[in-house]
Amino acid sequence: VNNNPSEYKITLSGTLKSPKITFHPPFLMLMPVPLDVETEAVINIIPQNYLRQTRIQVKLPELELGDAARTNPFTVQFPEGQDIVLASDGTNNELICRISFRSPKPMSFLGNMFFTDDEDN
């Protein structure tokens, strides 16, 4: 600096935290109900380390009925929106997710619903 040929060394270090989401409760069990009656539950989606706005998408399972027909008895709603937003304090706001199930035929199901962001994480 200032025409001085001395060398200056700057060392930088940092930690990269990948975005992730967790759920409360961590698994969902819907109560048995009569045929064609809706049952539902609410979960909280807790995003962490999202530095820019992103939208949560849900891939719902398609189930096979006894007659080889396929159905999707689940619906998902985000009553307050499905966008993950960075708050002014640097944290991400939680999302509320309402999951419902209704079927005209008897069935049970054990499986996964996949929640992804705009980058398919």
Side-chain angles (χ1 to χ4, degrees):
V1 180
N2 296 334
N3 295 324
N4 186 349
S6 299
E7 292 184 23
Y8 293 91
K9 183 178 180 180
I10 298 174
T11 302
L12 302 174
S13 65
T15 303
L16 175 64
K17 294 183 179 182
S18 297
K20 67 178 184 174
I21 57 176
T22 55
F23 301 90
H24 187 267
F27 66 93
L28 181 66
M29 185 180 306
L30 296 170
M31 298 304 296
V33 292
L35 295 178
D36 218 21
V37 172
E38 185 174 86
T39 183
E40 72 175 20
V42 173
I43 62 171
N44 289 326
I45 299 174
I46 306 158
Q48 298 171 332
N49 304 320
Y50 279 89
L51 300 178
R52 63 178 182 265
Q53 182 172 325
T54 188
R55 178 170 280 249
I56 293 293
Q57 305 293 326
V58 184
K59 182 173 169 126
L60 299 172
E62 190 176 64
L63 307 178
E64 188 172 325
L65 300 172
D67 57 1
R70 301 198 62 83
T71 185
N72 189 340
F74 295 99
T75 58
V76 173
Q77 295 177 332
F78 293 88
E80 298 174 6
Q82 61 196 84
D83 291 333
I84 296 174
V85 178
L86 184 64
S88 60
D89 64 357
T91 62
N92 298 122
N93 295 332
E94 292 185 11
L95 301 175
I96 296 172
C97 180
R98 181 174 287 127
I99 300 172
S100 9
F101 174 90
R102 177 189 298 241
S103 176
K105 297 194 175 194
M107 70 169 51
S108 61
F109 169 75
L110 176 62
N112 297 311
M113 291 182 181
F114 293 97
F115 291 77
T116 59
D117 62 20
D118 288 341
E119 296 179 3
D120 286 331
N121 295 313

